[in-house]
Amino acid sequence: MQTHITTTPFGRRPMTLAMMASQAVANAMPEGARVQKWHVFKSIREAKDLIGATDRSLAILNALLSFHRDMELSAEGELVVWPSNEQLMARANGMPPTTLRRHLTILVDCGLIIRRDSPNGKRFARKGRGGQIEQAYGFDLSPIVARAEEFAELAETVQVEKRAYKAARERLTLLRRDIVKMIDAGIEEGVPGNWGKMTWTYQGIIGRLPRTAPRQLLDDICEDLELLWIEIRDALESFTKTQNPDANESHSGRHIQNSNPNSISESENSLGNEKEAGGSAAQIDNLHSLPKRELPLGIVLDACASWRELAKDAEIHNWRDFLAAAEVARLMLGVSPSAWREACEVLGERQAAITLAAIHQRADEINNAGGYLRSLTDRAREGKFSAWPMVMALLRAKLDAEKTAAQARGGPPDDADKRKGRLEVSEALLRSLRRPKS
C-alpha cells in the first residue's frame, strides 16, 4: 500500500488549481470502477480537440498506457506507471526530450494524467517483502478511469458533428449540382424565367463559401441554395405542366424544343413582312432569309465584345455565364426590373439577354436603354422584332471598321484578332441581310 499520495509537482513546476481539480476528480472515482484502457484511449483520441490534447501528447499517453501491464484499469488496482524519459521516448517513436516534456505537461493540463513526483523527482516504485508495491512515483492514470464516461460522451459528440458535417457537405454538393443543371436545362429548353438573375444569385451565394467552412456556415449557405432551388424547380415544373400531358421521357428532345413558345424559329417565322428595330431597311425587308436556328454564342460575343467585361473574370464559357452578366448590364444601363421582366417573358431569357448585349454594345448611341428595350419588346410582341439583324448589324459594322482600318494602313487586316479566337462570319450570311425579298 502507498504510504502517502503526493499532490504537488517536483522542482520549479508550480501547483495549480487545475491540478487540484484533476486530483479531486480522481479521488471521487466510483468504487469498483473498471474500464478497458484501449477503449477509453479510442474515445480520448476521437475527442482530443474537445479535451485539448494533441497528436503527440496522445502518442505519449499511448506509451504510458502500454507500461500498465493489464488490459483493464480498475479503481482497486495500481494505476501509477513510472517509466523513465528514455523509455517513454523509445515507445513514442524517438520523440526528442524537450518535446516529450512539453507534451507531458499538456496531458497534465488536460486532466488525463496526474504527476506523482518523488522527493527527488525520480520515478520508481518501492515494493514490500511480499512483492506488492508500497509506494510508486510517476504518472497516475486514475483520471482515465474516473472520466471514462465523460470521454465516451465527448467522442459521441464529435462523431455526431462529423456526421452532420458530412451530411451538410453532401447536401451542398447535391444542391449545387441540381441548380446548375436545372438552370442549364431551363436555358437550353427555352423555359420562361429570369435565368440570368438566378445564375447571378447562385454565384453570389457560392462566393461566400471559403475553402474550409464550418458546418454552421455550410448550413446557412445550403438554406439559401435551397430557396433558390425551389424557385428554379417551380419555374421548370410550371412550364412542364403547360405542355402536352401525354408527353413523357420517351419523346425525343426535339419534341421538347419545338414546344418552346419563345423559340427563335417561331418568332422568325412570324417576321416575314414586318419591320424590325435596330437594322437597316434592306435587313428589315429580308428577315425571312435569315437562318432558322438560334444565334451561336461565339457570334454573339464577337458582335458584342464589351459583354465579356461584365462577366466574372471577364470570361464567358457558356450561356449560363452569358445570362449571369445580363443582371450586371441591366443595372449599369438603368433598365428597370419590370422592363427586363417583360422582355424575358416576351422574348425569352436568352433572346432578351442577346438584345440587351446589343444595346450595351451601342450604349454610347442610346440615351434611354430601358425605353429602347421596352420598344423592342413591344415590337417582338407584335412579331416585328428579332435579335438576328441587331447582331448581324453589329458584326457588319465591326468588319467594315476593320476593313477601313486595314485600308488606311495599306495592307490586309491584322491577324492578331484571329489569334484571339474570334469567329468569322461568312459573306453569304451578311449578304442575306441585303438581298431583296423574293
Side-chain angles (χ1 to χ4, degrees):
M1 294 295 293
Q2 293 184 353
T3 58
H4 177 71
I5 299 179
T6 179
T7 58
T8 57
F10 171 78
R12 297 182 178 181
R13 287 189 293 267
M15 182 66 187
T16 64
L17 293 179
M19 294 180 185
M20 294 295 296
S22 297
Q23 294 176 18
V25 171
N27 293 334
M29 180 173 29
E31 187 175 347
R34 185 180 296 270
V35 298
Q36 292 285 338
K37 63 180 181 182
W38 298 121
H39 291 175
V40 182
F41 180 75
K42 181 180 178 181
S43 298
I44 294 172
R45 186 177 58 198
E46 291 286 343
K48 64 182 177 65
D49 293 332
L50 298 179
I51 297 172
T54 62
D55 293 335
R56 290 207 169 184
S57 64
L58 291 185
I60 297 172
L61 181 61
N62 181 82
L64 289 173
L65 289 172
S66 69
F67 283 103
H68 193 281
R69 296 181 179 180
D70 298 332
M71 294 298 294
E72 286 188 340
L73 302 178
S74 63
E76 290 79 12
E78 178 58 52
L79 294 175
V80 177
V81 292
W82 52 92
S84 65
N85 283 355
E86 288 74 15
Q87 291 174 316
L88 275 177
M89 287 187 292
R91 294 202 186 182
N93 303 317
M95 185 178 295
T98 54
T99 305
L100 176 69
R101 289 192 292 270
R102 184 169 66 253
H103 288 284
L104 280 172
T105 302
I106 291 176
L107 290 176
V108 174
D109 293 340
C110 293
L112 292 172
I113 61 175
I114 298 174
R115 288 183 182 274
R116 302 296 186 188
D117 290 343
S118 66
N120 63 0
K122 301 290 184 179
R123 300 176 200 134
F124 63 92
R126 184 182 298 112
K127 297 182 179 180
R129 291 183 179 180
Q132 74 278 11
I133 297 175
E134 294 181 349
Q135 185 74 38
Y137 298 102
F139 300 105
D140 191 349
L141 304 177
S142 56
I144 294 178
V145 181
R147 301 177 61 189
E149 292 185 4
E150 176 190 348
F151 295 146
E153 292 175 359
L154 291 176
E156 179 61 25
T157 300
V158 171
Q159 288 298 322
V160 169
E161 180 62 23
K162 284 183 178 180
R163 289 193 292 269
Y165 184 82
K166 183 179 180 181
R169 293 291 303 182
E170 291 175 353
R171 180 186 179 197
L172 175 66
T173 300
L174 293 175
L175 284 170
R176 293 181 67 173
R177 185 181 71 191
D178 285 355
I179 289 173
V180 170
K181 291 194 173 185
M182 286 195 300
I183 289 177
D184 286 343
I187 294 171
E188 293 300 326
E189 303 292 347
V191 178
N194 197 343
W195 301 113
K197 182 179 179 181
M198 292 178 185
T199 303
W200 188 256
T201 302
Y202 168 75
Q203 292 178 346
I205 296 173
I206 295 302
R208 294 158 39 201
L209 186 64
R211 184 178 298 273
T212 303
R215 184 178 62 84
Q216 291 76 12
L217 179 59
L218 290 180
D219 288 339
D220 292 340
I221 291 177
C222 286
E223 291 296 331
D224 294 340
L225 286 177
E226 189 160 3
L227 293 176
L228 179 61
W229 179 85
I230 293 173
E231 181 181 358
I232 297 172
R233 182 202 60 187
D234 290 346
L236 294 177
E237 286 185 352
S238 60
F239 177 77
T240 303
K241 291 177 181 178
T242 63
Q243 306 307 299
N244 183 359
D246 295 332
N248 54 49
E249 294 182 356
S250 64
H251 292 167
S252 67
R254 175 181 168 186
H255 166 77
I256 300 174
Q257 291 176 354
N258 290 341
S259 68
N260 175 16
N262 293 322
S263 67
I264 187 69
S265 299
E266 293 182 6
S267 63
E268 286 171 354
N269 289 337
S270 65
L271 293 176
N273 298 321
E274 302 293 343
K275 293 182 179 181
E276 192 276 331
S280 64
Q283 295 164 351
I284 294 171
D285 292 337
N286 288 278
L287 289 177
H288 67 282
S289 64
L290 292 175
K292 300 302 184 290
R293 67 177 186 273
E294 293 191 354
L295 278 162
L297 178 61
I299 290 181
V300 176
L301 292 176
D302 202 29
C304 309
S306 62
W307 197 253
R308 293 182 184 273
E309 301 172 2
L310 306 178
K312 184 178 181 181
D313 299 328
E315 291 291 337
I316 294 180
H317 302 288
N318 47 47
W319 283 111
R320 181 157 41 86
D321 297 340
F322 187 90
L323 294 181
E327 189 65 19
V328 181
R330 182 188 71 77
L331 296 173
M332 291 179 60
L333 295 173
V335 177
S336 66
S338 59
W340 175 242
R341 183 169 56 252
E342 185 179 1
C344 292
E345 292 174 355
V346 175
L347 291 166
E349 178 80 4
R350 185 182 297 185
Q351 295 301 312
I354 294 173
T355 304
L356 191 64
I359 294 175
H360 182 268
Q361 188 66 25
R362 299 172 50 200
D364 295 339
E365 308 171 18
I366 300 174
N367 295 327
N368 185 354
Y372 187 52
L373 181 62
R374 285 187 184 276
S375 175
L376 297 181
T377 302
D378 292 339
R379 287 176 175 271
R381 188 180 287 109
E382 299 171 3
K384 299 178 181 180
F385 170 72
S386 168
W388 260 98
M390 287 189 74
V391 173
M392 292 299 105
L394 289 172
L395 278 177
R396 179 76 268 174
K398 183 175 182 179
L399 295 177
D400 289 345
E402 291 176 357
K403 185 181 295 184
T404 301
Q407 292 173 353
R409 292 193 302 267
D414 192 356
D415 290 338
D417 290 338
K418 296 179 181 180
R419 289 195 298 268
K420 295 178 181 178
R422 174 183 164 295
L423 292 181
E424 293 290 328
V425 181
S426 68
E427 287 295 328
L429 180 57
L430 294 172
R431 284 197 303 271
S432 70
L433 296 173
R434 298 176 179 173
R435 188 184 309 149
K437 284 195 304 183
S438 58

